[in-house]
Amino acid sequence: MEMFEGIVLTIITAATPLLFAAIGELVTERSGVLNLGVEGMMAVGAVCGFAAAHLTDQPVVAIAAAAAAGALMAALFGVVTLIFVGNQVASGLALTLFGLGLSALIGNAYVGIPGIGLPKLDIPVLTDIPLIGPILFGEDPLTYLAVLLAVGVWWFLFHTRAGLILRAVGDNHVSAHSLGYNVIKVRFLAVMFGGACAGLGGGYLSLVYTPQWTQNMTGGRGWIALALVVFATWLPSRIVIGAVLFGAVSILQLHAQAFGVGIPSQFLSMLPYLTTVVVLVIISRDRTLLRVNTPACLGQSFVPDR
Amino acid sequence: MRIELVRRPNRSRAMAVLSPLVAIALTVIAGFVIFTAVGVDPFRALYIYFIEPLTAMWSVEALIVKAVPIVIIAVGLSLCFYSNTWNIGAEGQLVAGAVAGSALPILFPDIQGPYVMPLMLILGIAGGMAYGAIPAFLKTRFGANEILTSLMLVYVAQLMVDWLARGPWRNPAGHNFPDSRPLDGDQILPVVFGDSVRLNAVFAIVIAVIAWFVLRRTITGFQITVLGQAPRAGAFAGFSHKKMVVLAFLISGGLAGLAGICEVAGPTGMLRTSVSPGYGFTAIIVAFLGRLNPIGIIFAGLLLALSYMGGEGVQIELGMSDQITRVFQGMLLFFVLACDTFIFYRVRIARTPAAGAARTEGA
């Protein structure tokens, strides 16, 4: 029983950074922008969150720093792709390269220093309930924030006017522009939001998941988050399911290694990546399912005609 | 006052040549800022980064050695990007080629003779092609996004070579180092220039020239261009998009595989846990910086090789992380993409408020 509880708890911690990054990228893509720089934004968020924690000892400042760093990185991407209408795919790759390099450069001074970690929630009676207590009421605050964010994004996209405008911009930027909406501004905000979320995901890695800084600690999670958005067919509820699924795969892989299953560890480490490929294939087979929700202008640049 | 982009009637030839140069200049300026921010003397750092590698014969040779695999891969990728196919997994195809090609000398250590090197090269190309075929197949058969699948397969390939080098292919006489047996004799590419520039440098030039010829002078090149720039027009002309995706992946994968086996049979001389310092990703930048033009790619490849040398230089002499290389590479690609805008657009600074704003004021 306790082992089951432990596994569920670790799955949730593995799912949280993916949830942050994927929910942010979902908003970005819903506005019609494909930002492949998630991995880079996460890395910079991770190192800035860690550095801020180290310098101030304030968890709140650290979390804010991680989000701000991600948003700043995204703004860079926004300038290149939205104002200078650069190719989005290539710009996203540039952002990832730049972010991974920059994070290593900043993080050079923080290698080997223990992090602060975040206190877990502890509500006297509720958290003590066996099994569901620790799972529902004993997580770290960022996990709750991630779930709240997912719910908030769902509500924003499908139940507010602003969300409707954002989706309209992503589905048909020419019409949205003719109706008088500022396509570039909407997209820029969506990109910045996506960056802040990716930064939070990165911050979660260096503050909670493994409270330390190591180079390349994002380990491809940014790319998995991108795949999650496709997996979820651009729907927030499915992002949550997908994040838990991928969290489970990466944790089961670790558990299998710990139990010394007779398979070389490298093959087990391949699992999250192979799962991503398989899941993408399964989702992509159903063209109609994808076509319903895919933002029609995804990845297309927009220059207003004057 | 506001700044607007206005489409040019024709693409600007002057900007097409100028934009990479402007991008390089901006990268150097940004580098100046970064070095200053980190607290090192920016003039000294920039000298070490960009000039010093060009001042000694051995380092110029090292530069060429690094540029060769990048150019070979980038030529293949430029065909991909021309046809609007996004192969981001060249790094994985490079590893697959290295593994497939080195299987021969590692499994048959005593094999020697004039046929060994051609066989290794063919196996390397085949390995890269086969690995590149996976995302192409998943794309054409199931519609799976090739960007994500090809990238995921990079991680898989890297874990695979890590396992091989630590496990079954480890050198039994290697004091437990995670390396394969060193290759020797006919299993190593011959040196053609100086002390370290090997036969693959010749491959790089020949491949670039062939690619230039194919793109500009053959019907296949025309099809690639049309399908990439105007997919609907291409479809009406009866060109198959699916075939083009497969072709682009096979060519770029094969060339990445060739670059991979040439690394193992060249500079490293054995299979290690990692085959390249990210040449497959650097090649993406080179393809863009070289304007997707095979001849431009040669120059861009040399420049990006310089960024590796410079990164090593500042690491040794100033104690900075060699990851500064990635920072420079990322910035360079950013600036190239932003500057490319001015090939198709010009900037207009409008002194009057925009039409929309004027209406609101009038109302």
Side-chain angles (χ1 to χ4, degrees), chain B residues 85-210:
Chain B
T85 306
W86 294 95
N87 179 5
I88 306 301
E91 184 76 9
Q93 292 139 23
L94 174 149
V95 171
V99 167
S102 57
L104 185 72
I106 290 174
L107 298 178
F108 306 95
D110 300 327
I111 196 167
Q112 291 289 342
Y115 60 91
V116 173
M117 185 46 64
L119 258 179
M120 284 169 64
L121 294 177
I122 291 169
L123 279 170
I125 295 171
M129 275 188 169
Y131 211 62
I134 301 172
F137 171 74
L138 298 179
K139 166 86 177 177
T140 51
R141 179 73 180 75
F142 303 111
N145 183 315
E146 79 272 24
I147 298 172
L148 294 171
T149 52
S150 64
L151 193 101
M152 287 295 133
L153 290 172
V154 173
Y155 291 97
V156 174
Q158 284 172 340
L159 287 163
M160 178 64 99
V161 74
D162 188 80
W163 171 68
L164 283 172
R166 288 175 201 279
W169 286 8
R170 189 170 64 193
N171 186 0
H175 306 287
N176 262 340
F177 278 108
D179 300 327
S180 80
R181 191 188 72 74
L183 311 188
D184 55 14
D186 294 329
Q187 304 163 354
I188 293 277
L189 277 172
V191 171
V192 292
F193 171 75
D195 297 322
S196 54
V197 178
R198 294 174 191 275
L199 192 61
N200 53 345
V202 178
F203 297 164
I205 295 171
V206 172
I207 287 165
V209 171
I210 292 175

Side-chain angles (χ1 to χ4, degrees), chain A residues 84 215 223 266 284 306, chain B residues 2 4 142 151 162 323 341:
Chain A
F84 288 98
Q215 203 176 307
W223 295 103
Q266 288 94 342
S284 306
R306 290 189 171 89
Chain B
R2 46 188 291 141
E4 298 175 346
F142 303 111
L151 193 101
D162 188 80
Q323 291 294 316
T341 303

Side-chain angles (χ1 to χ4, degrees), chain A residues 18 21-23 25-26 29 34-36 38-39 220-235 238-239 242-243 245-246 272-281 283-284 290, chain B residues 144-145 147-152:
Chain A
L18 295 174
I23 207 80
E25 179 67 13
L26 178 126
E29 293 192 13
L34 179 66
N35 184 353
L36 293 182
V38 183
E39 179 86 1
R221 285 188 182 82
W223 295 103
I224 292 179
L226 276 159
L228 262 178
V229 178
V230 181
F231 165 84
T233 61
W234 291 270
L235 296 174
R238 293 190 191 156
I239 293 257
L245 179 82
F246 276 90
Y273 309 114
L274 287 175
T275 313
T276 309
V277 173
V278 171
V279 162
L280 272 176
V281 167
I283 292 293
S284 306
L290 276 186
Chain B
N145 183 315
I147 298 172
L148 294 171
T149 52
S150 64
L151 193 101
M152 287 295 133

